[in-house]
Amino acid sequence: MKVSRFIQSICLIFSLLIFVGCDEIQKIIDELKQPPSVIAPQLQPISTEQEIKPFLGSQGPNCPIDDFDIPGEGYKAYGMSGGITALGASMPVEGETRAPQKSMDDIAALVDLGGLEQSAALIILDDFNGSVSTSIPSVFAIGKEVFSLLDSTLSSDLATRATEIEQITQQLEARKQLSHGAMVLNHSLSLLQELESRQTLFGDYGKLESDGLVEYKTQKDSLLLVQGVDTEDLDTSFIATRLEDTLDDLKLNKGIGRIAVNMSFAIVPCGVLQDFQASDIPDFESYAKKLADANKASLQGAYTEAEFLEIITELISTPNGNDPLIQFIERQKEFSRGDSQVYVASSGNYGLPYSMYLGAVENIVSVSASRSEDPNSKKSFSNKGEVMEVGAWFRLRGVAEFRDIQPTDVIYAGTSYSAPNVSVFSALDLMQSTPKCSPDQTSKSNLVQLNGSSQPVFNDKVFASAVSGC
């Protein structure tokens, strides 16, 4: 990054002055960049069956997580599981629920819909619940079962309701009728579908269910391809390869180099995910507290319990070593050879004062969630992000053959859905001959020190204001 390039530029002069080679200088700098050793070489896991190594510099694999995998404590306060719940009298929904038309109106105000002259693609990189090991097909489409998954028989007690909804969603996942990726893709398509009524886009949904692919045409014969890409149960090295294959296919076979990539997930050491799943702990925050408690012996009087909990939380939300997916994205941004790529990630739903990775990466736009009735106010469950966009509450609406389904009582919220609002804008902006917000303008520039590691400043800037500053 900027520091590294500066180091390289002075390295030769410095080496001439002290007769030390550049390799030695870089080695010293790399050692200085390592975070301080604040706890034992290996955390004691919650489950004795698992081993976790959530340390920067470790070579262990990293895995994606979303709200279906590790829920946040704040969700349960709204009776949600996986960001989904039911609209009811006892549901503490602030203000209006949001229809796709309202979100699309906001996006349309930021982009010239008459200038969609270039072809572009929107990739939804997410967990579509397929299985590479058993050849189980991915779940790309939201079916009728999901629209009726919640009814008036749910408990009025929010904690109980969250448990009931979790059981229902798990059953739908097991029957291959629901996935986190399908929810994110459906949300994105419900926004773009609004442009069909304006005669701006014309969609072909024939390959949605089988391949997660929707092709939109404009009156100017340019294309917008929306493609779901399944992360399945893979670690980030395999996901990076799958993303690379998708990008190559778009560029080489379809001639599309203007691409927005939505990633509504975070990445953590796979050992953290496995340890959490092996435990009976209900949410991320409780897991961090239990893990800190299990490792109190490592305190040695150096930190207060609150400080130690903060350190543990950051460690388990930081990917191991040089993550292959992050490295691939950084290479793509640096060597795109004239292609325009924008990467967008959700900040996370754990109420943290910073974004989780991938959103913490310099070349990835991190999106937090604001309230529907007040876009200047962040939702309590949302992590902080680089920009803030509406993330609550959305009514589940149908697309493709289910587009005529009336608004249901199924509502959903989270940074998983504020991020695709930004991604849809980015894809439409890339279709302009001269995009308003070029990919170069999406890089973070300000860094602060947080517990010994570099983290971007997350100011939750309202997205519309951020676009006006492009």
Side-chain angles (χ1 to χ4, degrees):
M1 305 203 189
K2 291 184 178 179
V3 174
S4 298
R5 288 195 292 270
F6 176 73
I7 290 165
Q8 293 167 3
S9 67
I10 68 168
C11 184
L12 179 59
I13 298 172
F14 191 70
S15 63
L16 289 173
L17 290 174
I18 64 173
F19 305 104
V20 176
C22 285
D23 290 341
E24 269 91 6
I25 294 174
Q26 188 62 53
K27 182 178 180 181
I28 293 170
I29 291 166
D30 288 342
E31 289 175 353
L32 291 174
K33 287 164 59 179
Q34 293 299 316
S37 177
V38 295
I39 53 181
Q42 179 179 308
L43 283 176
Q44 176 66 35
I46 300 303
S47 169
T48 56
E49 301 173 3
Q50 303 295 335
E51 179 181 47
I52 57 175
K53 297 179 180 179
F55 291 94
L56 297 172
S58 170
Q59 297 306 306
N62 298 309
C63 288
I65 63 166
D66 56 47
D67 306 323
F68 282 26
D69 298 315
I70 304 183
E73 202 172 52
Y75 270 11
K76 295 187 181 300
Y78 293 101
M80 291 191 290
S81 177
I84 305 172
T85 189
L87 185 64
S90 61
M91 179 65 196
V93 177
E94 307 96 329
E96 62 179 326
T97 55
R98 173 165 283 229
Q101 181 178 356
K102 172 59 177 171
S103 290
M104 194 65 245
D105 286 344
D106 292 346
I107 294 171
L110 302 174
V111 66
D112 178 13
L113 294 180
L116 307 180
E117 299 175 347
Q118 304 293 319
S119 293
L122 170 59
I123 294 175
I124 306 297
L125 185 64
D126 215 300
D127 181 8
F128 289 92
N129 209 21
S131 176
V132 68
S133 59
T134 58
S135 300
I136 295 175
S138 304
V139 181
F140 291 115
I142 294 291
K144 288 183 177 179
E145 301 86 358
V146 181
F147 291 99
S148 58
L149 66 87
L150 305 171
D151 56 40
S152 58
T153 62
L154 289 170
S155 172
S156 59
D157 177 73
L158 295 179
T160 303
R161 176 186 295 204
T163 301
E164 293 171 342
I165 294 172
E166 182 176 16
Q167 293 172 346
I168 295 170
T169 55
Q170 286 177 347
Q171 291 171 0
L172 289 169
E173 281 190 282
R175 294 201 296 263
K176 311 303 293 182
Q177 295 169 333
L178 178 64
S179 70
H180 182 268
M183 288 290 296
V184 175
L185 178 58
N186 189 90
H187 178 78
S188 304
L189 296 178
S190 68
L191 298 178
L192 291 169
Q193 193 169 262
E194 288 297 316
L195 295 183
E196 292 188 272
S197 62
R198 306 183 189 195
Q199 301 292 299
T200 302
L201 294 179
F202 306 91
D204 180 355
Y205 298 86
K207 294 184 179 180
L208 170 59
E209 188 168 351
S210 60
D211 301 322
L213 175 65
V214 176
E215 180 179 298
Y216 293 96
K217 284 188 176 182
T218 72
Q219 292 180 338
K220 299 183 179 182
D221 291 330
S222 56
L223 297 176
L224 174 60
L225 299 182
V226 181
Q227 174 70 69
V229 177
D230 198 351
T231 61
E232 302 191 36
D233 51 0
L234 305 171
D235 66 45
T236 53
S237 62
F238 291 97
I239 295 171
T241 300
R242 184 162 290 185
L243 177 58
E244 181 176 18
D245 291 343
T246 304
L247 293 175
D248 286 345
D249 177 63
L250 287 169
K251 295 175 187 177
L252 300 176
N253 298 327
K254 298 182 175 67
I256 296 177
R258 298 182 175 217
I259 302 167
V261 181
N262 185 87
M263 301 172 291
S264 289
F265 58 87
I267 58 172
V268 299
C270 292
V272 171
L273 175 60
Q274 293 162 2
D275 189 48
F276 177 86
Q277 291 175 334
S279 71
D280 58 355
I281 300 173
D283 54 70
F284 177 83
E285 294 89 339
S286 298
Y287 173 72
K289 293 173 186 175
K290 189 80 176 283
L291 192 62
D293 187 61
N295 288 273
K296 278 184 179 179
S298 300
L299 272 171
Q300 300 178 342
Y303 300 94
T304 67
E305 289 191 11
E307 290 171 337
F308 190 60
L309 175 59
E310 186 177 353
I311 290 169
I312 291 293
T313 301
E314 185 184 359
L315 283 172
I316 63 177
S317 61
T318 300
N320 285 327
N322 297 317
D323 182 77
L325 180 57
I326 293 175
Q327 288 184 314
F328 171 75
I329 292 172
E330 289 178 337
R331 288 197 306 270
Q332 287 293 301
K333 294 286 285 189
E334 187 173 355
F335 302 110
S336 57
R337 296 180 181 178
D339 294 329
S340 298
Q341 298 176 16
V342 176
Y343 293 84
V344 180
S346 53
S347 65
N349 299 300
Y350 305 114
L352 296 173
Y354 51 85
S355 174
M356 297 179 71
Y357 290 82
L358 298 159
V361 177
E362 182 175 355
N363 290 320
I364 299 174
V365 180
S366 170
V367 187
S368 58
S370 68
R371 302 171 184 270
S372 176
E373 77 284 4
D374 182 6
N376 296 295
S377 176
K378 183 170 66 69
K379 288 294 294 182
S380 59
F381 59 69
S382 175
N383 292 3
K384 296 197 73 172
E386 182 183 7
V387 297
M388 182 168 61
E389 172 60 9
V390 173
W393 298 85
F394 301 103
R395 282 181 180 262
L396 184 65
R397 294 290 301 269
V399 299
E401 67 265 36
F402 301 125
R403 69 173 63 206
D404 293 329
I405 293 179
Q406 295 300 310
T408 65
D409 286 339
V410 181
I411 58 175
Y412 57 95
T415 59
S416 288
Y417 308 105
S418 56
N421 287 4
V422 175
S423 297
V424 167
F425 162 81
S426 297
L428 295 173
D429 190 38
L430 289 172
M431 295 181 74
Q432 312 291 317
S433 294
T434 303
K436 179 182 292 187
C437 296
S438 68
D440 290 340
Q441 293 173 302
T442 65
S443 297
K444 303 173 179 70
S445 58
N446 299 319
L447 297 177
V448 293
Q449 292 299 310
L450 179 64
N451 290 340
S453 66
S454 292
Q455 293 278 6
V457 174
F458 299 107
N459 293 324
D460 290 327
K461 189 170 185 178
V462 175
F463 181 60
S465 298
V467 171
S468 65
C470 285

